[in-house]
Amino acid sequence: MSVSEETRQERERIVREHMEAENALEMDRALETFVHPRYEIMSTGQVYDGAEEVDRYYRESRATFPDQRNELISLRHADDAVIVEFWLLGTHKGPLGRLEPTGREFKCRMTAFFIFEGSGLVCELVYFDSATIMRQLTSPS
């Protein structure tokens, strides 16, 4: 099933707004881009479903990496998704599990599938290699 050009443009607008809101640390605005907030972090198996859980995810991840930001590499459309490849960057300023803050920076290439029902964003599936980040946070420069 193919979607209209108008729907594709609206989906892309939503994804770009979502990513810009995250970079600006406007987490309420990022949350508002969803019709149903849901994140699935594939490398860890964590699922955050609903506004309260996604808000908690935002607060926890920004406590660990307060300057977390993304840099778009590419954006593609699928029938039910917008697929984004991006760099995620940040500085380790808060605890990450049992790892105390190292003050080190990381840069990791990632892919996110922004899943849509019609023009409504219902989930972000995030894929990355967590070992890439951990190696950068724990290895001497």
Side-chain angles (χ1 to χ4, degrees):
M1 169 186 123
S2 184
V3 297
S4 71
E5 183 61 28
E6 182 178 299
T7 299
R8 288 169 58 116
Q9 288 177 5
E10 176 63 6
R11 289 175 175 180
E12 184 170 331
R13 183 197 65 74
I14 290 167
V15 168
R16 288 180 182 277
E17 179 179 345
H18 179 91
M19 294 177 75
E20 289 168 11
E22 288 182 331
N23 282 345
L25 299 176
E26 296 173 358
M27 306 324 281
D28 288 341
R29 183 166 64 108
L31 193 62
E32 290 171 0
T33 62
F34 289 96
V35 294
H36 176 83
R38 181 179 174 94
Y39 273 80
E40 296 183 23
I41 313 300
M42 304 313 290
S43 66
T44 63
Q46 294 168 296
V47 175
Y48 302 90
D49 191 31
E52 286 182 22
E53 289 186 18
V54 170
D55 181 61
R56 178 172 52 86
Y57 163 68
Y58 286 153
R59 283 185 281 112
E60 289 173 356
S61 61
R62 288 352 181 249
T64 303
F65 303 106
D67 63 344
Q68 182 175 306
R69 63 209 178 276
N70 60 73
E71 295 176 358
L72 182 66
I73 297 170
S74 69
L75 185 145
R76 294 176 174 81
H77 293 268
D79 286 345
D80 67 344
V82 173
I83 304 159
V84 176
E85 192 174 14
F86 61 98
W87 290 106
L88 190 71
L89 304 96
T91 307
H92 187 207
K93 300 282 189 170
L96 179 61
R98 287 187 253 146
L99 180 63
E100 290 300 317
T102 63
R104 293 191 176 107
E105 296 180 353
F106 78 90
K107 181 176 184 179
C108 183
R109 195 169 188 150
M110 299 185 160
T111 301
F113 288 70
F114 290 85
I115 307 300
F116 285 83
E117 290 178 0
S119 294
L121 178 59
V122 296
C123 184
E124 183 179 346
L125 303 172
V126 183
Y127 292 85
F128 64 98
D129 175 24
S130 55
T132 295
I133 295 173
M134 292 305 290
R135 192 169 36 254
Q136 293 176 56
L137 298 182
T138 59
S139 297
S141 301

